[in-house]
Amino acid sequence: MLTAVTDQQPPIEDFDPAFTARVTELLERVEERLHEVAAANTEFVTQASRHIVNAGGKRFRPLLVVLAGLISPNLDEDAAIRAAVVMELTHVASLYHDDVMDEADLRRGAPSANSRWGNTVAILVGDYLFSRASRIVAGLGPDFVELQAETFSRLVQGQIAETVGPLDGEDPLQHYLNVVADKTGSLIAASTAFGGMVSSLPAGQLKALTAFGEEIGVVFQLSDDLLDIESDTSGKTPGTDLRAGVPTLPTLLARESTDPADARLLELLNSDLSDDDDLSEALSLMRAHSSLAKARAEVNRRAEVARSFLAPLPEGSAKQALSALCDSVIGRSV
């Protein structure tokens, strides 16, 4: 299972105060609406469906809807708030299902829904939130419904591909990158697309925003891969994915090595790393291995590719904030 991407906002406080105030106000309205729509007919379902929403998160997908929408002066604020809620509900719903498949005990520092109420309730609550997102998106129009459906299709296909693993003869690295694009890139791409759609941006600019969202979504997951190896000072426990045997960009690159000097590292990557000493040794070898530098270079390259997609967009604080996001992704992975 892909680890959850750590949410990271661009430093919007560095921009025009009026722009910052407007972004903040819109996100506050999104937050209020999220709690409203997560309610149900019974207190039990309401409590369960608000469980992850109440646990926090930086609302990265709603932020992208808002920033993309503010590219144009014609933002429909009500539609933007509904679109942002749809994106966050879809994301949160997928987390309920992810935790069941991962048998996770914690989510955002709190007991996961599945550990608190059991797998069946967690799955059904995820379904409930998907249904709430579907009802809201229906009010935005058929183009929004179509994109939401296509995004959900990609999320599911990415999860299936990850669960099954690479097929015989399939390149494991390319398989992983495809999974990242479907599971992470697709929803972030839909977020930037929704932002452009609620502002009625022309087709060329909408295409640029969608491409940016897809690429920066992949960059976010790949930068998280680096943190699993390098995270002594980031707050993330290093080696979590490594110990669980979760494929990441650095480990997949390391597995491609045919150098006899890497025999011990490959032995550890193929072994049970539940022992703390073995994990520590594996981390030390990975940190010294060329695959880590290659992975970091790939994150940097993709962040610049994402930035390049912003070129057709009009200049302004919103475009600057989206560009700053590329820098913050790089900053958290070095």
Side-chain angles (χ1 to χ4, degrees):
M1 179 67 58
L2 295 177
T3 54
V5 177
T6 304
D7 291 334
Q8 179 82 14
Q9 293 184 8
I12 59 172
E13 67 273 7
D14 293 344
F15 299 106
D16 175 69
F19 172 78
T20 299
R22 191 174 185 195
V23 171
T24 301
E25 189 264 337
L26 287 169
L27 290 177
E28 287 174 351
R29 290 167 64 185
V30 170
E31 193 70 21
E32 291 174 4
R33 185 68 177 140
L34 269 174
H35 286 269
E36 290 173 5
V37 301
N41 293 336
T42 68
E43 185 167 340
F44 174 79
V45 177
T46 296
Q47 181 184 14
S49 64
R50 285 177 172 170
H51 184 63
I52 292 181
V53 171
N54 289 343
K58 293 185 179 178
R59 310 303 188 220
F60 178 60
R61 291 150 194 84
L63 174 70
L64 281 176
V65 174
V66 170
L67 292 180
L70 288 172
I71 289 291
S72 165
N74 302 318
L75 176 66
D76 181 335
E77 291 192 357
D78 180 66
I81 290 167
R82 285 184 286 160
V85 168
V86 168
M87 289 292 95
E88 187 67 10
L89 283 179
T90 302
H91 171 57
V92 170
S94 72
L95 297 182
Y96 281 86
H97 291 177
D98 280 356
D99 286 346
V100 170
M101 288 180 282
D102 283 351
E103 299 180 350
D105 294 323
L106 295 173
R107 165 63 65 181
R108 295 175 176 171
S112 62
N114 51 296
S115 67
R116 184 169 179 179
W117 294 293
N119 287 343
T120 300
V121 169
I123 291 170
L124 291 173
V125 169
D127 292 345
Y128 173 73
L129 292 176
F130 277 127
S131 73
R132 296 294 283 165
S134 297
R135 181 174 182 179
I136 296 169
V137 79
L140 291 170
D143 289 344
F144 291 85
V145 173
E146 182 178 4
L147 178 54
Q148 172 73 353
E150 175 58 27
T151 301
F152 188 39
S153 172
R154 288 187 63 191
L155 286 171
V156 172
Q157 290 181 84
Q159 182 60 67
I160 293 171
E162 183 185 46
T163 302
V164 172
L167 302 178
D168 290 342
E170 186 177 6
D171 176 29
L173 178 56
Q174 189 57 53
H175 174 271
Y176 175 72
L177 293 174
N178 292 340
V179 168
V180 170
D182 283 341
K183 285 197 60 181
T184 304
S186 65
L187 190 56
I188 293 178
S191 298
T192 51
F194 269 19
M197 291 163 70
V198 297
S199 292
S200 302
L201 289 181
Q205 293 181 14
L206 186 59
K207 182 178 180 180
L209 278 172
T210 303
F212 169 81
E214 178 92 13
E215 192 67 26
I216 204 66
V218 172
V219 171
F220 255 67
Q221 180 60 56
L222 299 185
S223 66
D224 207 59
D225 288 358
L226 296 184
L227 287 177
D228 190 63
I229 305 298
E230 301 179 307
S231 59
D232 279 345
T233 60
S234 73
K236 178 181 177 181
T237 302
T240 301
D241 293 338
L242 194 60
R243 169 169 273 165
V246 174
T248 63
L249 181 60
T251 58
L252 286 167
L253 289 172
R255 287 179 181 278
E256 293 180 345
S257 174
T258 58
D259 188 339
D262 293 331
R264 176 55 179 164
L265 172 59
L266 295 176
E267 177 187 356
L268 287 167
L269 292 179
N270 290 321
S271 68
D272 178 4
L273 293 176
S274 57
D275 181 81
D276 287 343
D277 290 338
D278 287 343
L279 179 63
S280 178
E281 183 182 3
L283 278 170
S284 179
L285 290 172
M286 279 298 307
R287 287 168 177 167
H289 197 266
S290 61
S291 62
L292 188 61
K294 290 179 182 178
R296 188 182 300 113
E298 178 65 5
V299 169
N300 292 347
R301 183 190 72 80
R302 284 180 173 264
E304 290 308 313
V305 170
R307 196 196 310 273
S308 72
F309 288 130
L310 299 174
L313 303 177
E315 297 300 328
S317 294
K319 181 178 178 178
Q320 292 173 24
L322 291 172
S323 181
L325 178 58
C326 301
D327 295 322
S328 66
V329 169
I330 294 172
R332 67 191 286 271
S333 62
V334 297

